[in-house]
Amino acid sequence: MKALHIYAGAQARQQIQDQGLRAQDISVIPAAAGGPKGLILGALDRYLFGDWLAQTTQAIDLVGASIGAWRMATACMPDAGAALQRFEQEYIHQDYDPPAGERRLRPQHISQRFAQGLERFYADSVGALLAHPRYRLHVLAARGRHMLRREHRLWTPAGYAGAYLSNLLSRPALGLWLERVVFSSGAAALPFATTDYRTRQVALSEANFKPALQASCSIPFVLGAVHSIPGAPPGAYWDGGITDYHLHMNYQPAGEGLVLYPHFQKAVVPGWLDKSLWWRHRSTSFLNRVVVLAPNPEWIKTLPNGKLPDRSDFQRYSHRFGERVQAWSRAAQASKQLADEFHDWLARGHQAPVQAL
């Protein structure tokens, strides 16, 4: 396989060796934060939800933060394949211009535009996606504590500085400043243990779905925090990727189930503040039953600009909206090779090796 690499934890590798990777064995699907990088997984998402998993009947937990939460919520919509295609197109074509008379974008303006986009995208389909007969949706957000309880022009930067320093000492210490909040549909139990990090679970409903999803996507200092989410504790809610960037969690899939993780890289980084802390990028026992589908780093070099789409492209293509759309569209189109190679790998009896995660 030229584009796709497959990695797995120890138990997952043994199970695949013994009986192959079967759709009926999938119990959990995580979806990472990472902004435009998630576009490279569009074709895989459409194949998984529109074809491969559609042939099975088991319940599956979909766990997402930021763009990952948006992807997983979209996968719960009727006609998942078409919905995910529409999501890809709307994400690629998003554009934010300063309000009349202003020279730069403010977080509040981006938040307002983002909320309008969510309202338009999901419209009246929220009830149906939350009641999906098989998929149990879990949307992650980060709730501020102490100095981060409310968004403030002075306390918020100071609070995040404290969070950064605490996280350097230990990941659990980040919980002094932020807690993981999981908004779950259908009273679903969490598919992972929560002893690693301060966690709270809230029922996901039609009343709080859109603000919870917006909170999960609200990057600090880029978008404003979301306050007063119905049914949730008071406070400021930010991007779920701050606490769980790549969802490196202690997964506990049901029975002999596996965690299938379409990801844009091999490493499963715990939190957003861990991006530069390379020693936290290693695999752990949390990922023993995880199978990661990720693009080959050498294949990524063939994409526009030799990299995955990312937020830096908004600056790279500043005032050149059409060129950014073209670059992102080419990357999204190229991602079909990932889905094709995964399909072929399954059809040919898993001939290509599964690498250690």
Side-chain angles (χ1 to χ4, degrees):
M1 295 186 289
K2 295 181 179 179
L4 181 68
H5 279 179
I6 302 177
Y7 308 92
Q11 294 178 24
R13 287 182 76 200
Q14 186 62 55
Q15 185 165 326
I16 294 172
Q17 181 178 324
D18 292 343
Q19 59 191 36
L21 181 63
R22 305 180 303 181
Q24 62 265 35
D25 293 332
I26 305 306
S27 180
V28 183
I29 298 181
K37 294 176 183 176
L39 290 172
I40 209 64
L41 304 171
L44 266 175
D45 285 346
R46 292 191 293 274
Y47 174 71
L48 293 175
F49 292 105
D51 187 351
W52 195 52
L53 294 173
Q55 305 169 32
T56 64
T57 59
Q58 80 275 18
I60 302 177
D61 289 288
L62 310 184
V63 185
S66 199
I67 189 176
W70 197 355
R71 287 168 48 216
M72 294 300 97
T74 303
C76 294
M77 295 174 72
D79 193 353
L84 287 163
Q85 182 70 62
R86 179 181 162 219
F87 161 77
E88 179 179 286
Q89 290 303 305
E90 295 211 6
Y91 195 96
I92 288 173
H93 288 84
Q94 65 181 311
D95 191 26
Y96 299 95
D97 296 319
E102 297 190 24
R103 300 182 63 179
R104 64 184 182 87
L105 286 167
R106 293 175 290 107
Q108 292 76 14
H109 173 67
I110 298 177
S111 291
Q112 182 182 26
R113 292 280 298 277
F114 191 82
Q116 292 169 350
L118 290 181
E119 184 67 36
R120 181 178 62 253
F121 186 85
Y122 290 105
D124 58 357
S125 64
V126 174
L129 74 86
L130 293 180
H132 196 285
R134 296 180 53 209
Y135 299 152
R136 300 176 295 207
L137 179 63
H138 305 274
V139 173
L140 274 67
R143 175 176 176 259
R145 304 181 66 220
H146 307 303
M147 291 174 70
L148 295 176
R149 285 181 300 175
R150 306 295 295 178
E151 193 169 30
H152 187 277
R153 65 184 184 88
L154 297 179
W155 300 137
T156 298
Y160 272 107
Y164 176 79
L165 293 174
S166 297
N167 186 68
L168 275 178
L169 295 175
S170 76
R171 174 166 162 75
L174 179 61
L176 296 171
W177 301 91
L178 295 153
E179 69 176 1
R180 171 196 292 147
V181 180
V182 188
F183 294 85
S184 302
S185 66
L190 295 178
F192 50 83
T194 59
T195 54
D196 64 320
Y197 190 79
R198 184 184 180 96
T199 303
R200 188 188 300 262
Q201 188 177 23
V202 174
L204 193 56
S205 67
E206 291 191 58
N208 65 23
F209 170 78
K210 291 169 187 171
L213 188 56
Q214 172 143 353
S216 186
C217 297
S218 292
I219 305 167
F221 313 113
V222 177
L223 282 80
V226 177
H227 298 82
S228 304
I229 299 179
Y237 289 77
W238 278 282
D239 196 308
I242 303 171
T243 55
D244 294 286
Y245 188 43
H246 293 166
L247 309 170
H248 192 131
M249 296 168 162
N250 187 6
Y251 290 103
Q252 298 182 334
E256 295 299 311
L258 295 176
V259 179
L260 183 66
Y261 193 171
H263 194 18
F264 44 78
Q265 63 182 47
K266 175 185 177 181
V268 183
V269 180
W272 187 67
L273 297 175
D274 298 319
K275 288 194 295 183
S276 62
L277 308 183
W278 56 265
W279 57 92
R280 295 189 188 168
H281 297 190
R282 301 189 183 100
S283 181
T284 70
S285 60
F286 284 9
L287 307 180
N288 275 344
R289 299 198 62 77
V290 174
V291 181
V292 171
L293 310 178
N296 178 353
E298 292 303 312
W299 177 81
I300 289 175
K301 294 177 183 178
T302 68
L303 299 176
N305 303 308
K307 66 176 185 62
L308 297 173
D310 59 39
R311 285 197 300 118
S312 71
D313 291 332
F314 285 107
Q315 284 73 46
R316 179 190 294 267
Y317 295 106
S318 179
H319 308 299
R320 294 182 291 153
F321 171 74
E323 292 183 37
R324 177 176 61 78
V325 167
Q326 184 180 45
W328 283 11
S329 296
R330 286 171 55 201
Q333 290 163 8
S335 74
K336 186 176 183 298
Q337 188 173 352
L338 298 172
D340 289 343
E341 290 186 1
F342 183 59
H343 170 78
D344 291 345
W345 181 77
L346 293 169
R348 296 178 182 179
H350 316 84
Q351 291 180 358
V354 175
Q355 303 179 58
L357 182 59

